[in-house]
Amino acid sequence: QQPVQSPQAVILREGEDAVINCSSSKALYSVHWYRQKHGEAPVFLMILLKGGEQKGHDKISASFNEKKQQSSLYLTASQLSYSGTYFCGTELGAGTALIFGKGTTLSVSS
Amino acid sequence: EAQVTQNPRYLITVTGKKLTVTCSQNMNHEYMSWYRQDPGLGLRQIYYSMNVEVTDKGDVPEGYKVSRKEKRNFPLILESPSPNQTSLYFCASSSSPGGFYEQYFGPGTRLTVT
């Protein structure tokens, strides 16, 4: 039931782009994205709902392909502050538990 | 300030000595949850609560207990801790389990069981 994230790790230079994927074998109701910096708690980035609704931070974009049960997080023109571990969480239905993937570690250097 | 607080932040204990990690939120959230985080395994849910007196098991509930007597508090209880419960624990709260409501995480509690 745990969603699968890919890649496991990404190394970028400032200004480069990255895509992080999250996929599930089950039909999803929602996908959530969180970022965790080392030694800190996860912080909300984005929510995407089945049917197309989404909300999140202005500088973050993501997509949700309902046919493939896959979500992608797009990080463009990366900054040093983007470094951290990105987790997707998936929900199978409204009111069910949010299950997180194992995470994708992103390292941005100058 | 809207926040989720956890205490203690760090705890070293011995096998078998009962302990409680407290979690409190001031946002009047219905939903609260406990996760453990281990290297390479991501965030795994231990227990969650949809409202007062309503709790349910997550993915890894063995060895843990919870209670939800008040809306704001959701303590995690380890009746007889073992070394395999050494981990980083996060409490989270939300207006709803998921859907269109983000989860707010506490700062984490690093537990070491020797």
Side-chain angles (χ1 to χ4, degrees), chain A residues 61-76:
Chain A
S61 65
S63 64
F64 179 18
N65 185 323
E66 293 178 40
K67 287 185 180 178
K68 292 184 177 180
Q69 303 307 322
Q70 180 176 321
S71 177
S72 296
L73 183 70
Y74 305 99
L75 302 166
T76 57

Side-chain angles (χ1 to χ4, degrees), chain A residues 23-82:
Chain A
S23 62
S24 174
S25 59
K26 296 184 181 291
L28 299 175
Y29 173 74
S30 71
V31 180
H32 295 224
W33 287 96
Y34 289 78
R35 177 171 60 210
Q36 183 181 30
K37 293 186 177 290
H38 184 70
E40 298 180 7
V43 174
F44 166 75
L45 293 176
M46 195 93 185
I47 293 174
L48 303 102
L49 286 187
K50 177 181 174 181
E53 281 187 283
Q54 58 178 258
K55 76 171 181 179
H57 294 288
D58 291 340
K59 296 184 178 180
I60 301 287
S61 65
S63 64
F64 179 18
N65 185 323
E66 293 178 40
K67 287 185 180 178
K68 292 184 177 180
Q69 303 307 322
Q70 180 176 321
S71 177
S72 296
L73 183 70
Y74 305 99
L75 302 166
T76 57
S78 60
Q79 304 170 18
L80 294 175
S81 61
Y82 287 11

Side-chain angles (χ1 to χ4, degrees), chain A residues 34 36 41 47 55 91 95 97, chain B residues 37 45 50 99-100 102-103 106:
Chain A
Y34 289 78
Q36 183 181 30
I47 293 174
K55 76 171 181 179
E91 189 186 17
Chain B
Q37 185 174 32
Q45 191 175 54
M50 307 283 270
F100 221 47
E102 64 264 38
Q103 293 206 27

